[in-house]
C-alpha cells in the first residue's frame, strides 16, 4: 500500500472514530487504536502515540461546542482532571515496559467490561434527591438543556468518582484511548450524573489527560507525524460532526452505540492479544 492510498484510508477511519468519540464521550482513540492496529497493521505503540494526539484534537473540537450549548460541567471536569492527569503519567511510563500482546489483552478486557457497565441502567435518582455535601461545597451541581427546558441535577459520591478517574487516567496512558469509556461510566454510574452531561464533560477532560501521556510517547519516539497528521485531522472533522448530532440524539441510542462499538473492538483486541499477533 502506497502513502497515497494509506493516508486517505487513515483519514476516513479517523473521521469515523472522531464522530463516535464525540457522540458517546469515548474519545476517538478507543476506535483509532484498534482500527490502525487490526485493519492496517500499524505497530500498537505507534498507533497509541497517534491516537493520543487525536484525542487532544477530539477534545478541542467537541468541548467548545458542548460548553457553548450548556451541557458540560466545567467544575466537575477540572476537579476530576487532577486525578486523571496523575494516572495518565503513571500509565504512560508503565506502557513502555509492558509487552504489546499484554496491552492488547488489557485493552480488550477494559472495553468489554465498559460495555457491560454501560448496558446497565443508570441508578434511579429519587424525586426527593438531596445534594451531596462535598459536591455542594465544590459547587458541582448544575443544570443542562432538555426538551422541557433546563433540568437540574445533583452530583453524588465525589470521592468514589475521583478514585475511578485516577484509574481512567492510567488506562489512558497505557492504552492511548483517552479513557473516555471509564470516565463516562464513572460519572454516569457512580456519581449519578446525567448521561449527556457525562459524555460532554468527558470530552472536555480527555484532551488534558491525553496531553499528559502523549509527551511521554513523543519523548520515546512513538509519535510519527506522517501517521499522526491524518489521524488528527480525521478525528477533528468527525468530532465536529458528532457534536451536532449529539444534541438531537436520545440517550438510549447513545448507550446502544456506545456498547456495540466497544464490544466489537474488545473481542477483536482480546483475540489478537491472546494469539500474540499484535
Amino acid at each position: 500500500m502506497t502513502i497515497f492510498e494509506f493516508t486517505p484510508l487513515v483519514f476516513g477511519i479517523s473521521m469515523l472514530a472522531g464522530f463516535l468519540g464525540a457522540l458517546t464521550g469515548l474519545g476517538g482513540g478507543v476506535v483509532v487504536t484498534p482500527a490502525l492496529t487490526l485493519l492496517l497493521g500499524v505497530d500498537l505503540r505507534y498507533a497509541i502515540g497517534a491516537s493520543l494526539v487525536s484525542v487532544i484534537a477530539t477534545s478541542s473540537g467537541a468541548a467548545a461546542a458542548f460548553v457553548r450549548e450548556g451541557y458540560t460541567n466545567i467544575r466537575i471536569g477540572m476537579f476530576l482532571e487532577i486525578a486523571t492527569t496523575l494516572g495518565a503519567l503513571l500509565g504512560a511510563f508503565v506502557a513502555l515496559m509492558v509487552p504489546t500482546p499484554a496491552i492488547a489483552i488489557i485493552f480488550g478486557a477494559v472495553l468489554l467490561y465498559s460495555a457491560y457497565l454501560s448496558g446497565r441502567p443508570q441508578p434511579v435518582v429519587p424525586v426527593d434527591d438531596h445534594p451531596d455535601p462535598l459536591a455542594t461545597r465544590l459547587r458541582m451541581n448544575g443544570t443542562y438543556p432538555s426538551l422541557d427546558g433546563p433540568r437540574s441535577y445533583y452530583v453524588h459520591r465525589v470521592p468514589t468518582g475521583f478514585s475511578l478517574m485516577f484509574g481512567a487516567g492510567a488506562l489512558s496512558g497505557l492504552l492511548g484511548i483517552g479513557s473516555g469509556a471509564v470516565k463516562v461510566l464513572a460519572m454516569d454510574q457512580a456519581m449519578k450524573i446525567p448521561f449527556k452531561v457525562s459524555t460532554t464533560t468527558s470530552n472536555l477532560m480527555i484532551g488534558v489527560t491525553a496531553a499528559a501521556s502523549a509527551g511521554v510517547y513523543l519523548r520515546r519516539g512513538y509519535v510519527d507525524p506522517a501517521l499522526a497528521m491524518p489521524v488528527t485531522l480525521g478525528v477533528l472533522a468527525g468530532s465536529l460532526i458528532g457534536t451536532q448530532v449529539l444534541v438531537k440524539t436520545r440517550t438510549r441510542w447513545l448507550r446502544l452505540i456506545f456498547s456495540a462499538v466497544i464490544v466489537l473492538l474488545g473481542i477483536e483486541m482480546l483475540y489478537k492479544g491472546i494469539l500474540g499477533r499484535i
Side-chain angles (χ1 to χ4, degrees):
M1 184 182 299
T2 67
I3 188 68
F4 298 104
E5 297 170 332
F6 180 79
T7 300
L9 189 57
V10 170
F11 178 85
I13 292 174
S14 302
M15 188 172 179
L16 175 61
F19 175 78
L20 292 173
L23 197 63
T24 62
L26 285 166
V30 75
V31 177
V32 166
T33 300
L36 292 178
T37 303
L38 300 173
L39 300 179
L40 302 181
V42 176
D43 181 89
L44 182 58
R45 297 190 194 280
Y46 284 95
I48 289 176
S51 174
L52 286 169
V53 176
S54 77
V55 166
I56 300 172
T58 303
S59 181
S60 301
F66 289 143
V67 170
R68 185 174 60 251
E69 294 288 341
Y71 287 94
T72 304
N73 189 314
I74 298 177
R75 296 190 70 87
I76 292 176
M78 291 299 97
F79 177 76
L80 297 179
E81 200 56 64
I82 298 172
T84 56
T85 300
L86 294 174
L89 292 172
L90 175 64
F93 282 110
V94 171
L96 301 176
M97 300 180 285
V98 177
T100 300
I103 295 178
I105 292 173
I106 295 171
F107 200 155
V110 168
L111 292 178
L112 292 179
Y113 186 63
S114 297
Y116 163 72
L117 290 179
S118 68
R120 297 168 57 187
Q122 185 182 30
V124 177
V125 180
V127 177
D128 59 345
D129 185 35
H130 297 289
D132 182 279
L134 181 57
T136 301
R137 194 174 301 120
L138 295 173
R139 292 188 289 171
M140 290 182 171
N141 304 314
T143 61
Y144 70 98
S146 70
L147 296 177
D148 303 319
R151 182 174 299 179
S152 60
Y153 60 90
Y154 294 131
V155 179
H156 301 77
R157 302 169 65 186
V158 175
T160 301
F162 192 85
S163 301
L164 291 172
M165 288 300 167
F166 180 84
L171 289 173
S172 173
L174 184 65
L175 306 175
I177 60 174
S179 63
V182 182
K183 290 176 181 175
V184 170
L185 293 169
M187 288 185 279
D188 179 50
Q189 298 286 334
M191 302 176 74
K192 300 181 183 179
I193 299 172
F195 192 74
K196 285 191 176 182
V197 178
S198 299
T199 58
T200 53
T201 303
S202 170
N203 269 295
L204 173 69
M205 296 171 62
I206 58 177
V208 181
T209 307
S213 48
V216 178
Y217 281 85
L218 178 64
R219 183 170 177 271
R220 297 297 179 94
Y222 288 118
V223 177
D224 184 353
L227 178 64
M229 184 186 71
V231 169
T232 301
L233 293 177
V235 168
L236 181 58
S239 68
L240 291 174
I241 298 173
T243 59
Q244 302 302 315
V245 175
L246 174 72
V247 177
K248 304 174 183 177
T249 306
R250 294 185 178 274
T251 298
R252 176 173 174 270
W253 288 107
L254 294 180
R255 288 181 183 274
L256 291 175
I257 295 171
F258 183 102
S259 298
V261 170
I262 56 183
V263 162
L264 292 174
L265 295 174
I267 292 173
E268 188 70 12
M269 289 298 284
L270 272 177
Y271 174 73
K272 296 291 186 179
I274 292 172
L275 294 182
R277 293 181 179 177
I278 300 294

